[in-house]
Amino acid sequence: MSNGNIGATSATYTDVTRTNIRVLSKDISAQIAKAKFISIDTEFTGLVLSNASRVFNLKTTEWVTRATDMRDRYRAMSNIAKTHALVSMGLSTFSIRHTRPGSYNVHNFNFLLQSQNSHLISPSSISFLAETGFDLCRQATKGIRYFSGPNPKPVEVNTEAINEEGLLIREVFLDIVRAGVPLVIHNGLFDLVYLYQSFFGPLPDTYESFAFDLNEMFPGGIYDTKIIAQREMPQSASYLAYLFHKSERLQKQRSERGEPALAVKLKDSLLRGSSEPKARCHRLLMDSSSSKPYCESFAQRGNCRYGNRCFKSHDINFILDCQEKEAAAEAEEALRMQVVETNAEDVAGDKKRKRDDTMEVGDSGSSDPPCKVLKADAVDITQEAVVAADIDGLSIGKQTVPAPATPSPCEEIKETNGSEPLNLPAQPPLNMYHTAAYDAFMTGYIFASFRLVLEDKMSDYKNKVYLMGSDNPLLIQAGPYANTSITYIQTMRLMNTAAAEAAKAAETAVAESAAAAAETASAEPLSTDVADQQENAQA
């Protein structure tokens, strides 16, 4: 369990492994069933195929995951998901807490996974996971074992524990499908592809069938917070951690103005005593390309090639503080320059009138040539305008130049020559932002924030998924020339059969319980009073 509140460096979550999934499965299903919406995030062993061995004899044209044509792109993504594996899944359930808008209870779950299929591992992906705190040794020994691409049932092996783990983790995903509530992702097309292949069944052959299946599987809609952010905040960065902290600030401002604001309560872990590995310390490096105290690469993209060794701040709240101050300073400077220009025009007008008077006097006998008067006036105009506009809070006519704002913490940081560290906020651990459970929670929080602000307009973003490298989203819809896949038909039939069997079993259990209670009651000896009453009634 990672302890903390919203805005802290982590969020409370339940760590689900092969050792406890059997105990937790019913509680997890109950939270999914109560959810108003669900957000997910995954970590996997590859995004692309690069430098593959010639032994595999692969056609590289079929593995381009950024192909322009969506059919080619889907085929490549499908190939990646079939040959690589999920290593963790984050799940956040947002259920209604109070009747007022924006009030939620949140349960976060982090599922540690270990595919039992032989699979490929991308060097860049595994390095990224290791650098961001993912424990590969723990995944190997504690990961929930599953077989990818169940068709329609998971593969069964001789080890009963592995069979049970695979069935239980698959049921978690099928419970999400059964819930029928909105599913929230962030730049999550690959997440959807991996989840389908891992827990639902073999991916359909065509993109059209895949989109059709998703449309049927999630009637509440799929919402991608990256698409929403790019449309609603086009001038802002749109990576996950940045949007989360920006949403936090927006909700705080709404609360201070007395407007409806999010009230999110993070529920305690269903376990006790579990812990998250601490981030390791690294020697810091100095990037002298910018005088700003925060890392501009991280601020723009959420990524920095130095990682934890970067000398500059990756603290997003600190970055937002600086950016707000920078924006205020730019606005103030623009206003000051506007006043300077206005004052210059006024002074120029006064000088022109004086010059006209001077020239009239010159015509009457002045000894100064007109060119000398004009040159002196030009210097005086500029100096007078700057002096007039340089006075803090000075009212000039109807325009007031505001006094400079108090420097923010980011402006007060004393810079050094790079030999000593700057006085920066503590660097947040990278695994703070790349634990699947925390990423799922941030995704859900951003969605809840937009939902509260946009209200009915949120429906405009239903079933629109961010497509990397494209200005247009991917539409999850039932196309006129597509049908549901064989995988969908088989898996849904299995789900319905299982649901019917569970309902019948529940009815049988209730009937048996009632019969047992009646039998127990009839077997008990009657009390003297009851026996006398029955005797009198017979008489």
Side-chain angles (χ1 to χ4, degrees):
M1 180 181 72
S2 176
N3 293 320
N5 298 317
I6 300 171
T9 59
S10 57
T12 301
Y13 63 81
T14 301
D15 195 27
V16 187
T17 67
R18 70 175 67 162
T19 61
N20 60 28
I21 186 170
R22 185 173 181 273
V23 175
L24 295 172
S25 58
K26 289 184 178 179
D27 289 330
I28 296 169
S29 294
Q31 295 306 324
I32 292 173
K34 292 192 298 184
K36 190 70 175 177
F37 65 88
I38 294 167
S39 54
I40 59 170
D41 181 78
T42 66
E43 303 291 348
F44 33 78
T45 64
L47 278 167
V48 296
L49 185 71
S50 59
N51 302 318
S53 171
R54 293 181 179 179
V55 173
F56 294 115
N57 195 27
L58 300 174
K59 295 181 180 179
T60 55
T61 55
E62 296 180 355
W63 295 76
V64 182
T65 56
R66 292 198 184 187
T68 304
D69 187 278
M70 189 57 213
R71 292 173 181 83
D72 293 337
R73 182 180 293 210
Y74 171 74
R75 180 174 57 185
M77 296 178 77
S78 176
N79 287 339
I80 292 291
K82 290 175 181 177
T83 55
H84 294 70
L86 289 178
V87 295
S88 69
M89 177 178 72
L91 169 68
S92 294
T93 61
F94 285 69
S95 56
I96 296 299
R97 183 184 176 198
H98 297 302
T99 54
R100 65 175 182 268
S103 179
Y104 297 100
N105 284 324
V106 182
H107 280 273
N108 300 311
F109 301 94
N110 194 73
F111 298 87
L112 192 64
L113 306 172
Q114 186 191 46
S115 174
Q116 297 301 288
N117 305 85
S118 295
H119 55 271
L120 301 176
I121 296 176
S122 167
S124 58
S125 293
I126 211 70
S127 295
F128 170 80
L129 289 171
E131 289 170 1
T132 54
F134 186 83
D135 192 336
L136 295 167
C137 293
R138 188 167 181 269
Q139 185 242 351
T141 58
K142 300 290 186 181
I144 299 165
R145 293 166 287 190
Y146 71 97
F147 286 91
S148 181
N151 185 28
K153 294 182 178 181
V155 175
E156 292 189 0
V157 295
N158 294 329
T159 307
E160 184 177 345
I162 296 178
N163 292 333
E164 185 180 30
E165 291 167 32
L167 287 170
L168 290 173
I169 188 60
R170 191 191 191 203
E171 276 301 307
V172 170
F173 183 72
L174 295 182
D175 280 339
I176 297 173
V177 175
R178 293 185 186 103
V181 298
L183 180 69
V184 187
I185 56 178
H186 182 86
N187 188 13
L189 180 56
F190 244 128
D191 296 294
L192 296 173
V193 172
Y194 265 104
L195 287 168
Y196 191 112
Q197 172 66 24
S198 299
F199 305 130
F200 196 74
L203 283 160
D205 293 333
T206 66
Y207 145 69
E208 289 84 1
S209 291
F210 176 67
F212 201 121
D213 286 359
L214 291 179
N215 184 65
E216 296 295 313
M217 290 164 63
F218 303 106
I222 297 173
Y223 292 84
D224 193 325
T225 53
K226 190 172 183 73
I227 281 287
I228 303 172
Q230 288 187 337
R231 297 294 190 273
E232 297 298 327
M233 298 187 299
Q235 304 304 319
S236 173
S238 61
Y239 64 88
L240 185 61
Y242 185 94
L243 290 177
F244 170 66
H245 289 292
K246 198 170 184 69
S247 297
E248 279 188 309
R249 290 176 177 236
L250 172 63
Q251 294 305 318
K252 182 180 179 182
Q253 292 165 3
R254 288 175 64 89
S255 178
E256 291 171 349
R257 294 195 299 264
E259 300 174 2
L262 282 185
V264 173
K265 181 177 178 59
L266 293 172
K267 304 299 286 185
D268 289 338
S269 168
L270 301 181
L271 297 172
R272 295 288 181 265
S274 58
S275 61
E276 179 184 8
K278 296 182 179 179
R280 292 172 294 175
C281 296
H282 298 277
R283 182 176 60 85
L284 299 181
L285 299 178
M286 181 63 184
D287 182 2
S288 59
S289 60
S290 170
S291 61
K292 294 180 179 180
Y294 61 85
C295 175
E296 292 189 79
S297 174
F298 190 87
Q300 293 169 4
R301 296 179 292 276
N303 183 45
C304 170
R305 63 193 178 106
Y306 294 119
N308 278 338
R309 296 173 297 160
C310 182
F311 204 99
K312 298 196 173 185
S313 177
H314 290 178
D315 186 301
I316 295 179
N317 280 313
F318 177 75
I319 292 171
L320 286 167
D321 283 338
C322 291
Q323 290 179 340
E324 287 175 2
K325 290 295 182 180
E326 288 166 6
E330 289 174 3
E332 180 181 330
E333 180 62 21
L335 176 60
R336 188 177 293 274
M337 291 305 299
Q338 182 181 357
V339 173
V340 168
E341 292 173 2
T342 302
N343 293 337
E345 291 174 0
D346 293 341
V347 173
D350 293 340
K351 290 294 184 179
K352 185 176 183 302
R353 285 189 292 274
K354 291 180 181 179
R355 186 165 57 248
D356 291 342
D357 294 341
T358 302
M359 291 181 71
E360 289 178 5
V361 172
D363 290 341
S364 302
S366 173
S367 60
D368 290 332
C371 60
K372 183 177 180 180
V373 175
L374 289 173
K375 184 176 181 180
D377 287 347
V379 175
D380 292 342
I381 289 171
T382 304
Q383 289 177 343
E384 291 179 26
V386 172
V387 170
D390 237 3
I391 303 175
D392 295 344
L394 176 65
S395 294
I396 306 174
K398 294 183 179 181
Q399 302 196 45
T400 302
V401 182
T406 304
S408 70
C410 65
E411 293 170 340
E412 293 174 347
I413 293 176
K414 182 180 179 181
E415 297 189 21
T416 70
N417 59 6
S419 59
E420 296 180 2
L422 299 178
N423 181 25
L424 297 175
Q427 195 80 297
L430 285 180
N431 61 344
M432 160 187 169
Y433 296 124
H434 292 292
T435 301
Y438 192 59
D439 286 0
F441 165 67
M442 290 194 292
T443 299
Y445 186 92
I446 295 165
F447 175 78
S449 177
F450 277 123
R451 195 180 203 185
L452 190 63
V453 173
L454 299 179
E455 298 180 342
D456 294 340
K457 191 180 177 183
M458 280 297 291
S459 60
D460 295 344
Y461 298 105
K462 182 178 179 179
N463 287 345
K464 294 179 180 178
V465 175
Y466 177 73
L467 197 58
M468 195 171 295
S470 174
D471 294 332
N472 299 314
L474 174 66
L475 302 180
I476 303 299
Q477 59 188 12
Y481 305 108
N483 291 309
T484 52
S485 67
I486 295 176
T487 296
Y488 176 84
I489 294 170
Q490 291 179 336
T491 304
M492 294 305 293
R493 184 183 297 145
L494 182 68
M495 284 176 58
N496 294 334
T497 301
E501 290 176 353
K504 185 177 180 180
E507 290 177 4
T508 302
V510 170
E512 290 176 352
S513 177
E519 185 178 346
T520 301
S522 63
E524 291 178 354
L526 297 175
S527 65
T528 305
D529 292 340
V530 174
D532 290 343
Q533 289 175 7
Q534 289 183 351
E535 227 178 87
N536 292 335
Q538 291 174 357

